[in-house]
Amino acid sequence: MPFVGPAKGAILQQLVADKRPQLVVEVGTMAGYSALLMAQVLPPGGRVVSFEKDLTWFLVAKRFMWQANQGEKNAGLETRVGDRVKLEWGDAREVLPRVLRPGRDRINLLFLDGTPKEYLDYLKAAEPFLEPGALVVADNAGVFGAGGLRPYLEYVRSSSQYRSELVRCKLEWREDVEDGIEISTYLGPGPAGPSPITAMMSKEAAAVGTEGSGSPGAAAV
């Protein structure tokens, strides 16, 4: 199944963990695989709102959200993992502006994993709700970069509202197919901060440096 898979999922979780978003919006729930990955690393009070237009997948995802709330790992948690995700049925291009509240709901991270040729429309629907500094993460920017995603990529790479980078990776479950995730920072009216990729690389470099220093904290890292 075309879920993000463990490799891309690890990148996605790292972005969420670093960003510590209060509101994540996902377009393209499918079975809820990526929504649950992001929910696992949300900060206290954080939530995921995920949109799915296929009713069958919406119902499947509802079942998995319930299942994610079961088991010993949820014992003692203030909020169970599945309860951190709110599922919305419908086309995000139409439903998203009705579900989110203008002036109150500010998106800190937007994950696009729906129909490739509709990515730009999803982004346009979400833009009024984007917090300056928000991350916009678009899956399959490699395999569909010259096809359905081309208008989206041209937009985020040329607009003064975004700073955009492609993170190359393999297609989910296929080590022989090159793919990529486009990670864009919504600049908004404020000054631009460091790119999320630069921040991730700096953190990894610091961790490697600590491990090599032989310091007491190296094992913990």
Side-chain angles (χ1 to χ4, degrees), residues 15 19-25 42-43 46-47 105-111 129-137 184-186:
L15 290 171
K19 185 66 178 176
R20 296 183 59 80
Q22 285 297 301
L23 176 58
V24 175
V25 169
L42 283 174
R47 60 193 175 105
D105 292 323
R106 306 299 295 173
I107 301 173
N108 308 117
L109 191 148
L110 174 65
F111 179 48
F129 302 95
L130 289 177
E131 182 81 0
L135 298 185
V136 182
V137 183
S184 309
T185 302
Y186 176 65

Side-chain angles (χ1 to χ4, degrees), residues 14 200 202-221:
Q14 187 63 60
M200 287 175 63
S202 298
K203 178 178 291 188
E204 291 174 359
V208 171
T210 303
E211 290 173 356
S213 68
S215 65
V221 174

Side-chain angles (χ1 to χ4, degrees), residues 181-206:
I181 300 173
E182 189 80 7
I183 302 177
S184 309
T185 302
Y186 176 65
L187 303 178
S195 77
I197 306 307
T198 300
M200 287 175 63
M201 292 177 65
S202 298
K203 178 178 291 188
E204 291 174 359

Side-chain angles (χ1 to χ4, degrees), residues 82-165:
D83 290 339
R84 301 171 196 167
V85 181
K86 181 182 180 185
L87 301 178
E88 296 287 349
W89 175 44
D91 191 324
R93 296 173 294 179
E94 303 170 359
V95 178
L96 188 152
R98 298 202 299 265
V99 169
L100 299 186
R101 300 162 296 178
R104 296 183 62 186
D105 292 323
R106 306 299 295 173
I107 301 173
N108 308 117
L109 191 148
L110 174 65
F111 179 48
L112 303 178
D113 196 19
T115 304
K117 66 181 180 180
E118 297 174 356
Y119 275 30
L120 184 54
D121 293 333
Y122 301 150
L123 179 58
K124 291 290 188 178
E127 268 185 342
F129 302 95
L130 289 177
E131 182 81 0
L135 298 185
V136 182
V137 183
D139 192 19
N140 300 127
V143 292
F144 295 119
L149 256 66
R150 185 173 180 178
Y152 171 86
L153 294 175
E154 289 177 348
Y155 177 74
V156 295
R157 292 173 180 176
S158 62
S159 172
S160 61
Q161 291 183 292
Y162 295 92
R163 181 180 57 244
S164 198
E165 304 170 71

